[in-house]
């Protein structure tokens, strides 16, 4: 009986400063990520660097920095971060511009004849500014919208500057290009506008008016048009650009119910980006459909738990900011899963806590550190 009481106490809100189930959940996700990322990265690391532990060592380093960032941001009052969000947004804007500066930005060519300008190369360290821009956009836009009254709107210089800053940031992310990140941030902004009280009917009309632009961006831009063709018939391109998606399908099929011996599957040897954007395919190949269900259960549990914590926040600003983080985490996870299962066309978006990559891992740890502060015991109504 004492065991059941301890479990019951664990799931009660406000029993400790930071919510235990959420903390355990995110660190369990990160631990799962280390295991599967290592399994998926051994062969490419050996092939590219003659060191099977190359990606593991780097991910452990990024993870240590991420956990440190989580601990730091969980102690900083979110009101302080929001107060300085304009400065953070300007710095983020400068970083986004720097990816186009020769010698600082790193340009990568593609088979579609398009160059991607998503990274900054400083020594041996590669940074992706669009990932960190998620933090600044969330902080700045949550502050902008939480006290925005659409019924009594007065477009002064401050509001116009704020909208312009958000708009320019999104444009820079689009032209890098990082289309998946842009869609993520647009969804968060849509949600903030809805929370701020903008009439839902007008909001959907406004959203519908943007759809033609999105269609043009998808169908008339070379590499996106090609991705759309591959998505519609991946087996037609299975020996070149469609190989990635077809191999992902095979990984899900080969995994079966319980998975294969860890690291022995076809996808581990031949799936491109098996330890980054397509890490879930490697996960299912190793741990099967039951492992996939466990992952889904853990993510859904986190989403529901955080939602109920946010309902108990004392102030509107905390609810806005925390909801934005929740939407971003949930949508990024869903979008990645939709990509690897072929529900939507391939787009470069990582799986939170599981995919290899320093910028994305540190960013998600920072966001959850801010969320931990928002939902800390002293900020909840219990």
């Amino acid at each position: 009986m004492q065991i059941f009481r301890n479990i019951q106490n664990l799931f009660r809100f406000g029993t400790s400063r930071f919510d235990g189930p959420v903390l355990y959940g995110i660190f369990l996700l990160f631990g799962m990520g280390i295991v599967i990322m290592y399994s998926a990265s051994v062969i490419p690391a050996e092939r590219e660097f003659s060191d099977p532990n190359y990606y593991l060592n780097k991910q452990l380093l990024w993870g240590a920095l991420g956990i440190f960032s989580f601990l730091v941001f969980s102690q900083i009052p979110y009101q302080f971060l929001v107060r300085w969000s304009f400065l953070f947004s300007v710095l983020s804007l400068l970083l986004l511009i720097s990816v186009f500066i020769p010698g600082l930005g790193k340009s990568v060519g593609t088979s579609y004849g398009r160059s991607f300008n998503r990274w900054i190369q400083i020594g041996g360290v590669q940074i992706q500014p669009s990932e960190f821009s998620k933090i600044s956009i969330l902080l700045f836009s949550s502050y902008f919208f939480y006290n925005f009254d659409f019924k009594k709107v007065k477009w002064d210089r401050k509001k116009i500057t704020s909208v312009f800053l958000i708009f320019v940031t999104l444009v820079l992310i689009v032209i890098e290009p990082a289309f998946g990140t842009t869609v993520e941030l647009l969804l968060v902004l849509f949600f903030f506008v809805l929370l701020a009280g903008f009439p839902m009917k007008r909001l959907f009309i406004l959203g519908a008016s943007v759809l033609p632009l999105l269609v043009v961006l998808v169908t008339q831009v070379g590499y996106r048009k090609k991705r759309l063709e591959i998505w519609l018939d991946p087996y037609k391109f299975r020996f070149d650009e469609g190989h990635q998606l077809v191999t992902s399908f095979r990984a899900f099929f080969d995994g079966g119910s319980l998975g294969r011996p860890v690291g022995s599957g076809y996808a581990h040897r031949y799936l491109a980006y098996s330890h980054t954007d397509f890490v879930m395919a490697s996960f299912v190949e190793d741990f099967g459909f039951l492992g996939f269900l466990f992952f889904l259960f853990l993510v859904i549990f986190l989403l529901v738990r955080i939602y109920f914590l946010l309902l108990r926040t004392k102030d509107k600003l905390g609810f806005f900011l925390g909801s934005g983080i929740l939407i971003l985490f949930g949508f990024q996870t869903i979008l990645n899963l939709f990509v690897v299962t072929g529900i939507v066309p391939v787009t470069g978006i990582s799986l939170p806590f599981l995919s290899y990559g320093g910028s994305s891992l540190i960013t998600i740890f920072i966001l959850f550190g801010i969320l931990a502060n928002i939902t800390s015991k002293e900020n909840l109504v219990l």
Side-chain angles (χ1 to χ4, degrees):
M1 290 297 292
Q2 185 60 39
I3 295 176
F4 289 110
R5 289 196 194 96
N6 291 338
I7 294 175
Q8 188 177 21
N9 289 334
L10 175 65
F11 285 92
R12 285 178 179 168
F13 295 105
T15 55
S16 57
R17 188 186 174 198
F18 300 120
D19 190 67
V22 172
L23 292 180
Y24 298 143
I26 63 175
F27 283 105
L28 178 56
L29 273 180
F30 174 60
M32 290 166 58
I34 290 294
V35 172
I36 191 58
M37 194 284 306
Y38 180 55
S39 169
S41 68
V42 167
I43 293 175
E46 179 69 41
R47 183 169 56 234
E48 297 169 24
F49 303 101
S50 300
D51 179 5
N53 298 322
Y54 178 82
Y55 290 114
L56 173 65
N57 292 335
K58 293 195 74 171
Q59 189 75 346
L60 288 173
L61 175 60
W62 295 128
L65 291 173
I67 293 171
F68 175 76
S69 300
F70 172 88
L71 295 174
V72 170
F73 279 87
S74 66
Q75 302 299 322
I76 301 175
Y78 64 90
Q79 298 91 340
F80 173 82
L81 295 174
V82 167
R83 202 176 304 130
W84 288 92
S85 60
F86 180 79
L87 177 60
F88 298 149
S89 297
V90 172
L91 291 174
S92 175
L93 197 64
L94 293 175
L95 286 174
L96 288 170
I97 293 172
S98 66
V99 302
F100 302 102
I101 300 175
L104 184 59
K106 182 179 179 182
S107 179
V108 177
T110 69
S111 58
Y112 310 116
R114 178 75 182 269
S115 292
F116 285 6
N117 300 277
R118 295 178 180 173
W119 302 273
I120 299 172
Q121 187 80 35
I122 304 175
V125 179
Q126 198 167 279
I127 299 171
Q128 190 171 354
S130 59
E131 285 293 327
F132 295 108
S133 69
K134 296 176 184 178
I135 303 169
S136 62
I137 284 287
L138 278 168
L139 290 170
F140 187 66
S141 57
S142 63
Y143 179 68
F144 176 77
F145 283 109
Y146 105 97
N147 57 4
F148 195 96
D149 189 348
F150 284 101
K151 297 178 181 178
K152 302 176 182 178
V153 59
K154 293 181 180 180
W155 288 101
D156 54 25
R157 183 184 299 176
K158 185 176 180 180
K159 286 187 174 65
I160 294 173
T161 302
S162 299
V163 172
F164 179 76
L165 185 61
I166 294 172
F167 175 76
V168 172
T169 300
L170 291 174
V171 169
L172 287 171
I173 295 173
V174 167
I175 64 178
E176 284 189 357
F179 191 66
T181 300
T182 308
V183 173
E184 279 186 86
L185 293 175
L186 282 174
L187 182 69
V188 172
L189 291 173
F190 178 88
F191 180 75
F192 281 159
V193 171
L194 194 63
L195 276 182
F198 192 81
M200 188 175 293
K201 184 178 178 180
R202 293 184 183 179
L203 185 60
F204 279 102
I205 292 174
L206 181 63
S209 67
V210 177
L211 284 178
L213 175 61
L214 292 177
V215 171
V216 170
L217 287 173
V218 171
T219 61
Q220 300 304 313
V221 177
Y223 82 97
R224 293 194 192 108
K225 185 178 180 181
K226 186 67 174 180
R227 284 181 175 180
L228 186 62
E229 293 173 358
I230 293 168
W231 172 64
L232 291 173
D233 190 2
Y235 287 92
K236 179 181 177 181
F237 304 92
R238 63 186 179 277
F239 297 117
D240 40 65
E241 293 99 333
H243 174 74
Q244 188 177 7
L245 194 54
V246 170
T247 306
S248 179
F249 292 161
R250 176 169 175 173
F252 274 80
F253 179 79
D254 288 351
S257 298
L258 299 175
R260 299 170 58 88
V262 174
S264 66
Y266 179 85
H268 287 69
R269 298 191 299 275
Y270 300 111
L271 176 62
Y273 308 111
S274 61
H275 57 297
T276 56
D277 300 345
F278 275 73
V279 71
M280 182 48 64
S282 299
F283 178 85
V284 174
E285 192 173 51
D286 280 347
F287 298 102
F289 184 65
L290 290 180
F292 183 67
L293 287 180
F294 176 77
F295 170 80
L296 284 182
F297 171 80
L298 183 55
V299 169
I300 292 170
F301 168 77
L302 280 172
L303 293 173
V304 172
R305 181 75 181 185
I306 293 168
Y307 171 73
F308 282 109
L309 281 167
L310 291 173
L311 289 180
R312 290 168 167 78
T313 53
K314 290 180 180 178
D315 67 87
K316 187 178 177 182
L317 175 60
F319 179 77
F320 260 66
L321 179 56
S323 298
I325 296 171
L326 180 66
I327 291 292
L328 189 77
F329 169 67
F331 180 71
Q332 184 171 335
T333 301
I334 291 169
L335 184 57
N336 179 276
L337 295 180
F338 279 8
V339 165
V340 299
T341 53
I343 297 176
V344 299
V346 172
T347 183
I349 194 162
S350 61
L351 185 59
F353 293 111
L354 271 72
S355 291
Y356 171 80
S359 298
S360 59
L361 185 59
I362 292 174
T363 295
I364 197 66
F365 265 121
I366 290 174
L367 288 175
F368 268 82
I370 297 171
L371 186 65
N373 185 266
I374 293 171
T375 58
S376 59
K377 186 176 181 179
E378 60 267 26
N379 293 325
L380 299 180
V381 177
L382 301 172

